[in-house]
Amino acid sequence: MAPTKKRNVSSSKPTKQSVITPKTEISHKVGRILKNRTRANDVFDLLEFLQSDNEKDFKRAVMSCNKLFCTLLKKKDLYIGKLPEEEEALSGNYSAEEKYHIFMRHRYNSCVEILLDLLCHEVHDVWESSLCCLMKFAAAEGQHPLEDLDWSEHYSFPRELIQRVVDRLLSKTVDNSMLISRFQEFLEMADVSYYTMSSIRESFGKIMDKNKGAVSPIYQYNVFALMSNISVPSQESELTNFMVKQEAKHEDWKAAKLNEHKRVFERMWLGFLKYKLPSSMYKKVLVILHDSILPHMSKPALMIDFLTAAYDVGGAISLLALNGLFVLIHQHNLDYPDFYKKLYNLLEPSIFHVKYRARFFYLANLFLSSSHLPVYLVAAFTKRLARLALTAPPAAILIVLPFIYNLIRRHPSCRVLIHKPSTEDEPLEDPYVMEEEDPALCRALESSLWEVKTLQRHYHPDVSKAAMLINSPLSEQEQDISEVLEITAYELMEKDLKQPENKNIPLEFEKASQLLVGGGNVLGQHFCLN
Amino acid sequence: MNKKSTRQHDSKMGKPQKKRSLADKVRKTKTSTEIKNNPFEVKINRKKFEVLGRKSKHDVGLPGVSRSKAINKRKETLLKEYKQKNKSSKFIDRRLGEYDTNMAPEDKILQRFAIERQRAHDKKDMYNLNEEEELTHYGQSLAEMEKFNDNVNSDDESEEKGLLSAELTASHFGGGGGLLRRKSGDQPDEEGIQRARSRQELIEELIQKSKQEKRERQAQKEEAQELTEKLDQDWKSIQMLMVQKTPKAEKEEEKPKLEEYDMRVRELGFEMKAQPSEKMKTPEELAREEREKLQKLESDRLRRMMGEEAGSSAPTQIHMSADDLNDGFILDKDDKKTLAYQDGLWNIAEEGGGEDGEDGEEGESGEDDESEEEEQDEDGENNEEGEEEEVDEEEEGEEEEGSSEGEGEDGHSDLDSESEQESEDDGRKQDDEENNATQQKSLSKEEMKAQQEAAKAELPYTFTAPESYSDLKDLLCGHTPDNQRLIVARTQKCNHPSLAVGNKLKLQKLFGFLLEYVGELATRSPPELSTIDKLIPELYTLCQMFPEAACTAMQSFLADAGHSLEEVLEVKGRGAFPALDMLIYLKVTALLFPTSDFRHPVTTPALLYISQALTKCPVRSLQDVTSGLVLCCLAVEYVSFSKRFLPELINFLAGTLHLAVKDKSSLGYAVVPPFRSSGKNNDLLVLSDVESCKKWSKKELPLSATQHLELKTDLDRDQHRLMCLSTCLDLVKRCCLLYKDLTSFPHIFQPIRTLLFKHLLAQTLPEPLQELHSTILEVIGSVSVTNNPLVFEKKKPIPLKLLTPKIVEVLDYGKKRGSTKEQKEQERLKHKYKKEFKGALREIRKDSRFLATEKLNEVMSRDAERKRKVKELMGSLATQEGEWKALKKRKRK
C-alpha cells in the first residue's frame, strides 16, 4: 500500500499538480497523520477544507475529520483532563508525547468549534453532516471520556458537547426546525434525550434570565420545536437505546431511570411555561398538552396553574385549555369550581368559526355526558347552543343539532324545550336571557327551542331535515356525534356534487334573457354591467 | 273346447244376463241428465256444514250408475280371469308385429297392408280388369290427373265428362243391381231375349264396353290436343305476319299502365288521411294554455321546494325546446309548404307564423333583433349571398316540379331527396365529414330555417361545432357581442342533435366551452359583461336541451371553486373573495337552474359556496365589500322565492353595517366572523367627510367594482361607501321581509336592530337611506316577538294492537298442526296410505263378493242343469216305466 501511494504521489505530483483531487489528498493526509506523528500539521489543511465552500471537499473533510479524531479518541491520543493553554503546553514541562496529545486536543476542539458553526449553514447537506459528525464525536467521547473522571461516582457522558450542540440548535435568529427534526433521530437514544432536556432547561433559563423574559419568538419557536420532539417512553423497559453504555452500575445511571426522565421532562416544560408566551405559542402548547406533555410528567397536577390561567384567557385559548383540564379533572381529581359556568360562557358565536371546533364539541360532549348534571344547566346549554346556531355555518349546525338532541335524550326532563303541551294557547316572548352569565338564572327551562324551528327553514337540505326531527318525539338511540365533527363545508358541497347522475335535473322555466334580470332582480337593482 | 264352453255358458247364463243387460240397456238409453233427474237413481250426500266458496264434487252420487259401472268393469276383467282360471289354451294374436314393440305403428300398418294386398292380389287378380291397378277419382285416373298436361279442353269436355261420370258412378256405386235395374227398365224385350246370357257374359260385356269407351276417349283427347296445338301455331304465324310492327315496349307498357292504375288505387287507400288539424286558437285560449302551463310548472317548483321527490313529469320534459326534434319527427303537410317557397318573402311570412310557439330559444328581445335584421337584409340578400340563394331556389324549384309530377310517392321519399340536395348544398361550406354525416340524416325544418336565416346576414351561415375551447375562442374572436350571439345560435342550429349522431355530444361540449368563455370574459380587464349578457339566452337554450351536461359542467366549476377555497382555508385559515367570473357563474347558475328546490344538484352547492365565501373571507378593502354585497344580492335572489333562512347572509350584512359604525366602543351586539368587533379594516365604510352625504345620489354600481376601484378622492370613496351602505340597507330590508315569519326573527335581527338603533343613526345618513333605515326598524319592530311553545306534531293515535289470527298453512284438516314440514309430509303420506289401503281392501272385498256371486250363480246354474237333467232322465225313465207297465198290462190282458 505504502509504495503504491508513494509512487502515486511522486508520479502525479510533478505532472498533475493542479489536477490532484482533494479526495486523495485528504484521505492520504488522514492516513499520514495517523501513521506518522511528524505529519501532524496536516491537520490544519483538514480544518481548512472543513471551511471550504465546495460541498464535495467539505464532505470529504468531514468524513476524514470524523475518522481521524475518532481513531485518536480510541487510541487515547487526545489529552485527557483539564487542557492547558497551547503556549503553556509548549513552555511547560510536558513530554513530547503529552505535547502531541495537547496539540491534537486543541485541534479537536477547534474542529468541533467549526462544526458547531456549520450547524447554522444554510445548505442542507452541510449542517446535516456536521450534526452527524458531532454526534459521532459525542458517542466516541462517551466511550473514551476526555475528562479525568472518578469512575466510581460519575458516569461518562459528553455533557458539554451536547450542551453546546443544544445551544446551537436553539438559535435566536434562525428557524432551525429542519435541523431540530433531524436531531430528533438522536433523541430516540435515552441518554441523549435525558441530557438534552437538562441542557434545554439550563440554556432556556439562562437566556430568559439574561433577557428578562423578552426574547425573540424565533428562539421560543426553536425551543418549542425541540421540546415537543422529545418524548418520554411510557415504560422503563423501553429505555434500551443508549448512545453511551456505562460499564459500571449502568442500572443506577439517571439516564436509565424513567422517573428521572419524567422529572427532567417536567422541569423542562415548567421552566418553559413559566414565562409569558405569545398567543400562537400558547395555542401550540395547549394543542399538544394533553397527549404529549401531561402523560409524561411525574406530577401532572403542577400544570393546574398554567391551565386555569389559560382557561381564563378566553376565546380559542380557553377552548384549547379545556382538553388539558379535562385530563386533570378526569384522571387527577382536580376539583375546578364553576367549571360548567365557565364552559357555558365559552359558548360564543365564534366557536363555530374557529379551527378547533371539532375538538371543542368533542370535549363538550364528554363534559355534558354526565347524567348527574342539573336540568337547568343542560337546558341552559341547549338553549344557548340553539341560539348560537342561528349564526352558524351549515357544517356547524350539523354538529350542534345532534348535540342538542343528545342532551335532550340524556336528560328527559329537558324535553319541555321541544314539547310543552300545557301552555299551548298563550304565545309568549322568549324568556331566555342570552346575556345572563349564570346558567342557573338564564330561565332556559321556561323557553322553547324556537331556534330549531327556525332552522327548519334553513337553506341547506341536510340542516333542514335535521331540524325537522323536533316535530316528533326523539328516538331513544343517541346519535354519534363523532361522525359529524370533522365535516367541512366542501364535503357538504361534494355530497350534492357527487350524487349519482340524476336523470331529471330540474331546470328554470323562466326564460333567461339577460344576465342581471331574474330572481327578484336584486342584483340588477344595485349593480349594472358597466 | 273353450269356445264351446263359453258359448254354452253364455246360453246358460242367458236369462239373468239378459235381465241385467236389459236394465243396462234401459240405463244406457237414458241420457245422463235423465238419470240425474231421476230421484231413484240419485243419492244426496248430507253435508254437515256449508262452506262458502268451496265446490263440492260429491254432494250428489249416482249409486246405480256407479255400481253398474263397477260390475261391468269386473265382468270384463275379473270374470274373464276367473273363467280363464285353470285353462291352458290361449288365443294368440298372430297379426304382424302385434307384440313387436320396436316397430312403429305406421310401419305396422303399412306392412300389414302390404301383406293384405299380396294376399288379395292372389285371390282377386282374376277380377281385376285392368292390367294395373289404377286409382281413380271421379272416374278419372289419378295418374292422368297428376300429369295436368292439358286443361284447355276441359271446358269442351265438361258436358260429356259429366255425362260419362254420372253413368260411371251409377254403375260403380249403384253396383250391379242398378245396372240390372236400368236394363230391366229400359229394355224389357232385350232382357227377354238375352235372359239366357249368364252373369259372366254380362260382366265381360261391360268390361269390353268400358275399355272401348276408354280408348275412344283417349283418341278424342289426343285429337283435340293436336288441333289446339295446330291452332296455336297458326295464330302465332298470323300474328307474326300481321302485327310485326308493334314494338315490345308497347306490350310492356301495357302492363305498367295497369300496375300504375292499381298502384294509384292502392295509394289512395294508403294515403295519409288528412288529419283534423288543430283549430286556430284564439288569443284567449293561447293565454289560458300558457297560464295553465305556468301554473303546472309553478306547482312543480313548489313541490320540489318542499323537498318532495320529483315525479316523472319534470318540467324539463314539458318545456323542451320546440327545436328539439330528437324523436325522429317527420314533416307533416304544413311543413311541406315551407319547402316550396319561391322567394324570400313567402318564407319569411311562413317563418313568422311558425315562430310564436316554436322558437323557444329566441328570447323576446332576441326575436325582435332578429326580425329587424331580417327585414334589413331582405332587400340585399340576393346581392350579398346571391349564389347561395339561387342554388337553393333552383333546387327547390326542381323539387317542386318533381313533386307535382308525382315522382316522389310519399312524404318520406320526398324528404330524402330533398335532404340529399340540401346536404349537397351544405357540403360546399362544411367539410366532407360533416357532409357525410348530414347526408345520412334528414334535415329538419329548423335546419332549413337556419339556412335561410343565415342567408340574410353577413356572417357565414354554418359553423362547425368547436372541438375545443380555443376553437370557440377563435370563432368568436373579434365579433361584436350581437354577432357572437348569432354565431353561437347558428352553431347550435347547424349542429342540432337531430341532424347527425355526434351533434349531441358536440353541443354538450359547446355548453362547457361557452361557460368557460363566459368566465374568461369576466376575468378580462375590463370585463366584457355585455357580451356575457348577450350569450345568456344561448346558454339557457343549450341548458334546456341538455340538462345533464349543463349540470355536470356547472358542477365542475363549482367543485373547482369550492375545492380551491377549501385548500386556501386549510393553509391560511381565511380566503379571498371570489373573483368576478365566479360571481357571474353563480348568477348564471341562478338563471339556468331553479334556486328554490329543496335539494338541487347545482344550486345547493352554489348556495353553499356563497355561504362559505361569506363566512370565510375577511373584508379588507372596499372591493371586498362590493364583492360581498354582490354575493349577498345573489344569496337574496337564491332564497327570495323559497324564503329559506341563510344565517351567513344576515351575519355578513350586520358585519357590513358594523363597518360603517364610527364609534366601535361599547357595542351592544356581537359580530360574527369573518368580521371582528375591532381591528384594522374595521372602518372601511365610515365616511371621511360627513358633508358627502348631501351630494350623494343613488346610482347603480358596476359589477367590475368588485375587482378594482379607481377612487382617487375622498369624495369618490365616500360616494362608493354610501352606495355600498345603501345596497346593504336595501338587502337588510329585503331580508327582514323575507324572514318575517321565522319564529326566531327577533333574535336573528337583534344585532342589526341594535346597530341601527344605537350606533348607526339615521341622522348621519343621506335622505334616501334615512327612509330605508326607518322602514327596516319599523319592519323589525312590527314583527311579533311572541311564539307558541313548541309541541310535537299531533300524530294519529296509535291504534291498539290488533290480534290478527295467525295463518298457518293446513294441508289436511283435522290433522295435527305446528309440526315440522317433514312430520307433516309423513303424516300426509301415512294418511294417504291408510286411505289407499282401505280403498284397496274395499275393492278386494267387492271383488270377492262379485266372484262369490258368480260362483254361486255357476253352482246354481249347474244344479239347475243337473236337476233338469235328472228330471229329464227321471221323466224318460218314468215314461219307460209307464210304457213298460202299459205293455205288461196289455200282456196281462
Side-chain angles (χ1 to χ4, degrees), chain B residues 447-459:
Chain B
E447 173 63 4
M448 286 292 301
K449 244 167 48 178
Q451 271 203 346
Q452 285 145 10
E453 246 174 48
K456 287 159 204 130
E458 294 167 14
L459 290 164

Side-chain angles (χ1 to χ4, degrees), chain A residues 457 471 508 515 525-526, chain B residues 301 533 645 730 734 793:
Chain A
R457 300 279 303 279
N471 285 349
E508 180 65 46
L515 183 63
Q525 195 176 335
H526 297 289
Chain B
R301 178 200 282 273
D533 194 36
F645 175 47
D730 181 61
R734 280 170 191 271
E793 270 176 5

Side-chain angles (χ1 to χ4, degrees), chain B residues 28 34 76 103 200 316 416 558 656 706 722 797 799 823 843:
Chain B
K28 266 168 201 162
E34 248 176 303
E76 269 160 30
M103 218 180 246
Q200 185 81 25
T316 48
D416 285 346
L558 288 170
T656 312
T706 56
L722 283 171
Q823 279 174 324
E843 285 299 299

Side-chain angles (χ1 to χ4, degrees), chain B residues 549-562:
Chain B
C551 173
T552 35
M554 216 62 195
Q555 277 184 334
S556 73
F557 280 109
L558 288 170
D560 286 350

Side-chain angles (χ1 to χ4, degrees), chain A residues 420-456:
Chain A
K420 200 175 277 179
S422 56
T423 53
E424 198 181 338
D425 291 337
E426 332 149 4
L428 69 154
E429 217 174 311
D430 197 346
Y432 173 72
V433 190
M434 181 77 168
E435 290 75 27
E436 177 60 53
E437 285 187 0
D438 188 354
L441 304 175
C442 67
R443 301 173 65 196
L445 266 177
E446 297 163 37
S447 177
S448 275
L449 290 180
W450 288 293
E451 290 82 1
V452 181
K453 189 99 188 161
T454 304
L455 288 179
Q456 290 179 358

Side-chain angles (χ1 to χ4, degrees), chain B residues 1-7 83-84 87 89 91:
Chain B
M1 178 208 156
N2 186 27
K3 241 181 182 176
K4 199 183 165 187
S5 77
T6 49
R7 204 175 287 161
K83 295 269 165 67
Q84 293 292 322
K87 303 246 164 36
S89 59
F91 281 116

Side-chain angles (χ1 to χ4, degrees), chain B residues 93-117 119:
Chain B
D93 196 345
R94 286 199 186 279
R95 280 179 297 173
L96 186 88
E98 186 56 34
Y99 300 108
D100 193 354
T101 47
N102 293 335
M103 218 180 246
E106 290 88 50
D107 288 347
K108 238 183 253 179
I109 292 164
L110 267 178
Q111 288 201 2
R112 279 178 195 167
F113 182 67
I115 289 171
E116 206 181 340
R117 289 300 298 275
R119 241 179 252 153

